[in-house]
Amino acid sequence: MTAATTTGLVAYEDAVRRYDPVLGIEVHVELGTLTKMFCAAEVAYGGEPNTQVTPVSLGLPGALPVVNGKAVEYAIRIGLALNCSIAESCRFARKNYFYPDVPKNFQTSQYDEPIAFDGWIDIELDDGEVFRVEIERAHMEEDAGKNTHVGGATGRIQGAEYSLVDYNRAGIPLVEIVTRPIEGAGERAPEVARAYVQTLRDIFRTLDVSEAKMERGNVRADVNLSLRPTPESPLGTRTETKNVNSFRSIERAVRYEVSRQAGVLDAGLTVIQETRHFHEEDGTTSSGRVKSDAEDYRYFPEPDLVPVAPSREWVEEIRATLPEMPVARRRRLQTEWGYADAEMRDVVNAGAMDLIEATVAAGTSAAGARKWWMGELARRANQDEVALEALAVTPEQIAQLQGLVDSGRLNDKLARQVLDGVLAGEGDPEAVVAARGLEIVSDDGPLLAAIDEALAAQPDIVEKVRGGNQGPIGAIIGAVMKATKGQADAKRVRELVLDRIGS
Amino acid sequence: MTQDITRLSASDLASALRNKDVTSVEATQAHLDRIAAVDGDLHAFLHVSSEEALATAAEVDAQRAAGAELHLLAGVPIAVKDVVVTKGLPTTAGSKILEGWIPPYDATLVERIKAAGLPILGKTNMDEFAMGSSTEHSAYGNTKNPWDLDRIPGGSGGGSAAAVAGFEAPLAIGTDTGGSIRQPGAVTGTVGVKPTYGGVSRYGLIAMASSLDQAGPVTRSVLDAALLHELIGGHDPHDSTSIDEPVPGVVAAAQQGAQGDLKGVRVGVVKELSGEGYQAGVSARFDESLDQLRALGAEIVEVSCPSFGYALDAYYLIMPAEASSNLAKFDGMRFGLRVEPAEGPVTAERVMGATRGAGFGDEVKRRVILGTYALSAGYYDAYYGSAQKVRTLIQRDFAAAFEQADVLVSPTAPTTAFKFGEKLDDPLAMYLNDIATIPANLAGVPGMSLPNGLSDDGLPVGFQILAPAKADDRLYRVGAALEAALESRWGGPLLNQAPELKTTELAR
């Protein structure tokens, strides 16, 4: 260990006051194709080890790769969504290195000819500020297998008795997206890093190219970070923190590296260019491989594959069918719904945007839909500790429920009781209303009977009202509502009471 | 049948099978008996699959008896070079590192052979991973040249060539990265064809150099080569570099050529592939063949391919570079040999090192080291990059030459078969054997070697024909015409002049 790794940490706020952080992020996304990048082995999560393999994905002698056309299409979709140019022709290359989880001892990747390049993406920070991240390239490659180290205390390779390799993951198509240096993030660098990966995750899902589950490793981020004294200074030496696999970890890892590197620089030392590992337990990073003498992967064009040359017509066809990107959609919906920035942010954070959109589509006003999903339903989801979308009620049912309120057939209190019924699986709101007999009583006959009863029971109040003091009328109305089990329209009851007393 | 079945050409044997003069079981057994009788000396085979071959033969016989429509070559036995993976049959590529490995799948060309009902007699010997020109680099011992047991059968496909020349098999599969089909053909008096790159699927060929490797037929006649070429050729979706077009009509071209009329055919003599370095007898036979072609009506023109002078150098950068990467998978982790280090910790890296150290022979190590170096950062442009540029120049030379000629010709190899050990310690001398064959691999064009006589030393000489990519049929037309003319002069195939092999009593 060198002295650099033992220097102290500088408080984050202090560090970013004196140093300008520059980020570079590499994101790997596993594509949700049915088969692997170069063979017909199935792509599925959680299979018995080494069952989703072919001679190709096991790297058996004689086996040859064939490019998965769907994976190319997905890579182009990603490239287009990131505003990249799509190569007219590009080749695969071999990245040579010996490791047991790489069956051929080379990874088939793209080197100097990525399928997509020169793009950008706007990300939205928590306060609504838009930050543009420039994309250097997005290229196709294959995933490695998975090593499991057995024996030993840590589950790491050091101290293990033996290791097992599962090649089910080997050959799963990946797209790696590499940013240009992300400058100007300043103290918000951790948030920018997190928001960028989050935005990519949302884009992958919107494009339907990956399940994009961070916890399954469908999306993996390597975060490069360097510090420099001022934004005008040349770039400092960077470290690459590998496989930071949750949004929170990305923020923490960046914060930690800023503090750590500031400590190194404050001590008058130089940052070592190296790979670092992030530790979830305490939010620190530790030194991995030193990269200073740039590992020699002996890249050369993959002679077993012909160049991939997507026709311009095909690229345009794909472009024409791209779905609306999340940030654009969010902006459009906010405008359509007339929500304030804070309201919209809450809606997005609560995961209610799709639900509200569907509810509005089913005929409810934007305000009405928001009232339900961010109010009563959010409360219940919170209570049950489930996601909003996991509640046993559909946007269509909420729209129907609100329709009953709007038409005066239910009041808010009754509507909540109807919701109880819907959530209990008693059917649509209409069905619950019918079954539970919860509709507002609009027929004057039964109301008048209840009113007369109430008036007779409280003659003193009748007197006061007749005397011009309408204050105590609430007591009469309350008694009527109680007698009708809340199903009376309070406004109508009031009218009838005044009418009765006045006559 | 009274005639020795093993002396028949594949096409004649196919006719005899069709006419029910002989059964496939009889034919297969005859070849198995021949193998048992002579292979103790020749050592053309690394593995003989008697049971499987006889089972296939019996099946074909039953189908034929039932009147089933069969492939033209159904029932004709074949030998397969051990670099081609065969499901259930050991496949070593001539290397210790694959000793005992039984592939779980068939190469595409093997699937086609099996589907057509050709009994597979066994796997033939070769230089380890097809690296060599003498089969002396096999980890399993030398294969002998049937013309002289003290001499090499060529390489890397010495086993396939010797098996065919020694009448152990009428047909064999070879692979040719820099001449490994054609040069053994030349030194054993057999016919060998390297098809256009992409003409035959590489799926299931244990790769040496992916951009150069090509499988093809090894036979005793041009027509037999055409029949086998048509069977194994054609598009394969499992090989991205496979040509998505029908196989050129090579059988029809061979039949046309055998009529002996080459009027209007322009034959280009490559100036750079003759003269100095070529044995006198080799040059003499070559000139006689040119006269023969002229007599058949062909127009002989001289062409120049100035970049061919750099072919060997470019080849010895590109081939090892690709080989160094292709051979990385042999690491003891998933299949084949696994050697643990004699002392110290047993880590993956150290097991890989120990396995490769023990499993690879010297020539393989030499090329892996060369290739690793050529691809290294800082050297890539100077070596691999420059070599690729030379490759482009060679392709241009071919393109220009094929403007002037329909086919190009040269001696296949500079010399006849040399003695064992003669060049083993001089890799550069060994590499020079392929000087005339390598340009075709670098350009991806097809090439054929056929016997065109005996040199002054009484050993066979090969005549090479080259054609433009995807014009493999031209090889067969010119080759069959020359073959017919030469055989009528010789009074039969050249191999009739080969010495009888000593046979040992059947002791199986």
Side-chain angles (χ1 to χ4, degrees), chain B residues 96-146:
Chain B
K96 283 281 174 215
I97 211 161
L98 275 178
E99 191 163 21
W101 182 57
I102 309 286
Y105 76 108
D106 273 327
T108 298
L109 74 85
V110 171
E111 280 183 355
R112 292 184 184 176
I113 285 170
K114 286 184 174 175
L118 281 73
I120 295 175
L121 296 167
K123 307 298 290 291
T124 57
N125 197 12
M126 54 185 283
D127 285 297
E128 183 177 4
F129 288 107
M131 296 178 179
S133 305
S134 67
T135 314
E136 290 170 287
H137 293 304
S138 167
Y140 302 100
N142 294 342
T143 294
K144 317 279 172 52
N145 190 323

Side-chain angles (χ1 to χ4, degrees), chain A residues 55-56 58-67 94 96 98-100 102-106 167 296 298-306, chain B residues 85 101 104-105 202-206 210 237-241 322 325-326 328-331 334-335 348 352 356 372 375-377 380 384:
Chain A
V56 178
L58 282 177
L60 293 188
L64 293 175
V66 175
V67 174
R94 292 188 184 177
N96 293 287
F98 283 84
Y99 208 66
V102 183
K104 299 164 290 183
N105 283 325
F106 62 79
Y167 293 105
D296 187 354
R298 290 174 280 116
Y299 280 103
F300 73 105
E302 167 58 276
D304 284 328
L305 291 171
V306 293
Chain B
V85 304
W101 182 57
Y105 76 108
R202 291 187 297 114
Y203 191 75
L205 267 53
I206 299 178
S210 307
H238 286 117
D239 175 1
S240 309
T241 61
E322 293 183 9
S325 176
N326 283 330
K329 64 176 61 164
F330 301 96
D331 62 0
R334 288 165 302 279
F335 49 80
M352 287 177 178
R356 292 166 68 80
T372 303
L375 287 176
S376 297
Y380 179 91
Y384 191 77

